[in-house]
Amino acid sequence: MSGDLGVYFHIPFCRSKCAYCDFCSTAKWDDKLMDAYLEALIRQLDDFFLPGGKYTVDTVYIGGGTPSVFQGKRIAKLLKQLGKRADLTRNCEITVEVNPESADKALFKQLKKAGVNRISMGVQSADDSQLRRIGRIHDFAKAREAAALCRQYCTDNLSLDLIYGLPGQTLESWLQSVDAVCALQPRHISCYALKLEEGTPLWREDPVLPDDDLQADMYLAAVSRLAEKGYAQYEISNFAQPGFRSRHNSRYWDLSDYLGFGCAAHSFYGGKRFSFTSDINAYIRGMHGQDPIVEEADELAFRDRVGEFVMLALRTCDGIDENTFYSRWGREFDPFARRLEPYIATGHVQNDGGRWHLTPEGFLVSNAIIGDVLEACSEQ
């Protein structure tokens, strides 16, 4: 294994589970379990980064769960162990996810000392009643405080998450949240639609949500408002000030190599996808040679890699340039272009001199458009 790649670490611990969350995480933990998990992550590093190898890592993302409850000292140790096995580039983007209730001055100082230069914080709403409704345990005042501490003691490269389509949310209250988050001066903002995941408490409750038309209005209003405030959209859900796109997430959309470590972590390397068990204890046992941890492994055929690239690239505002596509894949873009062409008249797609991309209106129906376009793969 060699060449530039991204690294993802999954930290499956939270102070409490949000009502909408179906990610691999648990609120039942203690220091003993966290220490055992950290040891397992370090052992797994040795499975991939062999002695004498030349490995260059230019993005690291520590997600969860809530990595901030893992504590700064464990994150620092994990990054130090990665640095012993791989060459972290001088401008390596190192992101850690935090939640406001578990982020304080001491944590941010530890993260900065460990080399962390980007923070992603789950705010979700500026309306305290909406936060309580979805099981968040912070209020917006705490988010404001955490954002200020982050800039003062760690980095101003701060990304904040918001969710729209919440129970009882109106277009007005959504835009109030957008404005309130912009006032915290993050470099990057992510806006996600609430999805009721089967088996979650919120799914069982079956709440009344804003209808599809209202959610579409919320999305388009956010795109417009964020553009006014200097945040350019670069992917369906992501907006950034100039120079502050998430380089790690861009790896996913560009079909570049990345390795995931930890339970439920996914990887893409050398045309192969693989993932690990979502059982925390089984993962720890597996890293001691007691249980297998690989849950899924597939090698993508060339045609499938092309199709996946098209699917992911069309989720970005950059879209696909015909010449770049040919240079990378050795085939013409014409079959895909013929599928995209009819959507120009409907305002869902633009072709700017051979660069095909979806409009904000196109992003709203991206699944249907991309599904249509991918049929071109089966015709070749």
Side-chain angles (χ1 to χ4, degrees):
M1 186 178 67
S2 62
D4 291 349
L5 72 155
V7 168
Y8 173 82
F9 292 107
H10 187 72
I11 309 299
F13 307 111
C14 293
R15 283 196 177 171
S16 69
K17 288 279 286 188
C18 298
Y20 58 86
C21 179
D22 74 336
F23 290 165
C24 173
S25 63
T26 180
K28 298 178 180 178
W29 49 266
D30 55 23
D31 283 340
K32 183 178 178 180
L33 179 61
M34 283 193 175
D35 288 340
Y37 189 78
L38 174 60
E39 181 186 352
L41 286 172
I42 294 170
R43 283 175 175 265
Q44 194 179 18
L45 285 174
D46 288 331
D47 284 349
F48 289 89
F49 298 108
L50 303 178
K54 295 185 181 298
Y55 316 111
T56 302
V57 173
D58 60 7
T59 66
V60 179
Y61 195 103
I62 302 177
T66 310
S68 44
V69 305
F70 201 50
Q71 299 179 6
K73 62 181 181 181
R74 292 190 181 92
I75 293 172
K77 184 175 180 179
L78 183 59
L79 290 172
K80 183 177 181 179
Q81 293 299 317
L82 173 63
K84 288 182 176 180
R85 293 159 175 79
D87 176 22
L88 275 60
T89 60
R90 172 175 290 187
N91 66 339
C92 183
E93 177 192 84
I94 304 178
T95 304
V96 173
E97 289 183 352
V98 307
N99 276 350
E101 73 279 355
S102 55
D104 56 21
K105 172 182 174 181
L107 173 74
F108 286 128
K109 292 179 74 172
Q110 288 175 315
L111 294 180
K112 181 176 181 178
K113 186 177 180 180
V116 174
N117 52 28
R118 186 174 185 272
I119 295 293
S120 178
M121 186 184 302
V123 175
Q124 316 313 5
S125 175
D127 185 317
D128 290 347
S129 64
Q130 290 174 1
L131 291 171
R132 290 191 296 270
R133 184 71 176 79
I134 59 176
R136 302 292 289 184
I137 58 175
H138 72 271
D139 57 20
F140 189 66
K142 184 62 178 176
R144 185 185 298 112
E145 176 189 353
L149 290 172
C150 177
R151 286 196 303 272
Q152 184 175 0
Y153 295 105
C154 186
T155 177
D156 74 344
N157 191 358
L158 173 64
S159 176
L160 300 180
D161 290 354
L162 281 172
I163 300 178
Y164 64 93
L166 299 175
Q169 193 175 47
T170 64
L171 178 60
E172 181 182 14
S173 68
W174 163 239
L175 287 178
Q176 287 173 349
S177 283
V178 172
D179 289 341
V181 162
C182 288
L184 300 184
Q185 301 177 337
R187 295 295 192 177
H188 185 283
I189 296 175
S190 296
C191 299
Y192 302 105
L194 177 67
K195 184 177 180 182
L196 293 181
E197 301 288 356
E198 186 173 352
T200 62
L202 201 60
W203 175 82
R204 289 192 292 269
E205 183 183 332
D206 193 22
V208 176
L209 303 179
D211 62 28
D212 290 345
D213 288 341
L214 179 52
Q215 288 197 37
D217 289 342
M218 289 176 173
Y219 177 78
L220 294 174
V223 172
S224 177
R225 184 66 59 89
L226 289 170
E228 292 173 2
K229 294 182 178 292
Y231 296 91
Q233 186 178 23
Y234 70 101
E235 192 264 351
I236 288 181
S237 303
N238 289 278
F239 307 78
Q241 293 178 345
F244 288 93
R245 293 185 179 190
S246 169
R247 286 166 41 208
H248 183 84
N249 287 344
S250 295
R251 283 189 163 276
Y252 302 151
W253 307 322
D254 187 52
L255 215 62
S256 296
D257 288 333
Y258 62 91
L259 291 174
F261 297 87
C263 63
H266 290 250
S267 301
F268 179 77
Y269 187 81
K272 296 181 180 180
R273 288 201 179 280
F274 49 97
S275 61
F276 304 113
T277 177
S278 58
D279 184 313
I280 298 170
N281 289 303
Y283 169 76
I284 293 172
R285 291 193 302 269
M287 295 319 303
H288 287 271
Q290 299 173 21
D291 289 330
I293 66 167
V294 176
E295 192 166 80
E296 186 177 353
D298 292 301
E299 182 165 6
L300 297 182
F302 179 79
R303 187 179 71 180
D304 294 332
R305 290 203 299 274
V306 173
E308 189 158 347
F309 173 83
V310 170
M311 175 188 70
L312 294 170
L314 287 177
R315 288 180 53 88
T316 71
C317 292
D318 290 338
I320 303 173
D321 176 76
E322 293 179 359
N323 293 329
T324 303
F325 182 84
Y326 181 82
S327 297
R328 179 164 182 173
W329 301 106
R331 59 174 59 186
E332 299 291 344
F333 191 71
D334 292 353
F336 302 101
R338 285 193 292 270
R339 293 277 181 167
L340 288 167
E341 184 78 35
Y343 295 103
I344 293 178
T346 63
H348 295 103
V349 168
Q350 288 184 355
N351 176 16
D352 300 327
R355 182 177 69 87
W356 296 82
H357 62 99
L358 272 60
T359 64
E361 291 77 11
F363 283 144
L364 285 170
V365 290
S366 60
N367 289 342
I369 295 174
I370 292 172
D372 184 8
V373 172
L374 290 184
E375 288 187 14
C377 283
S378 62
E379 298 171 358
Q380 298 182 49

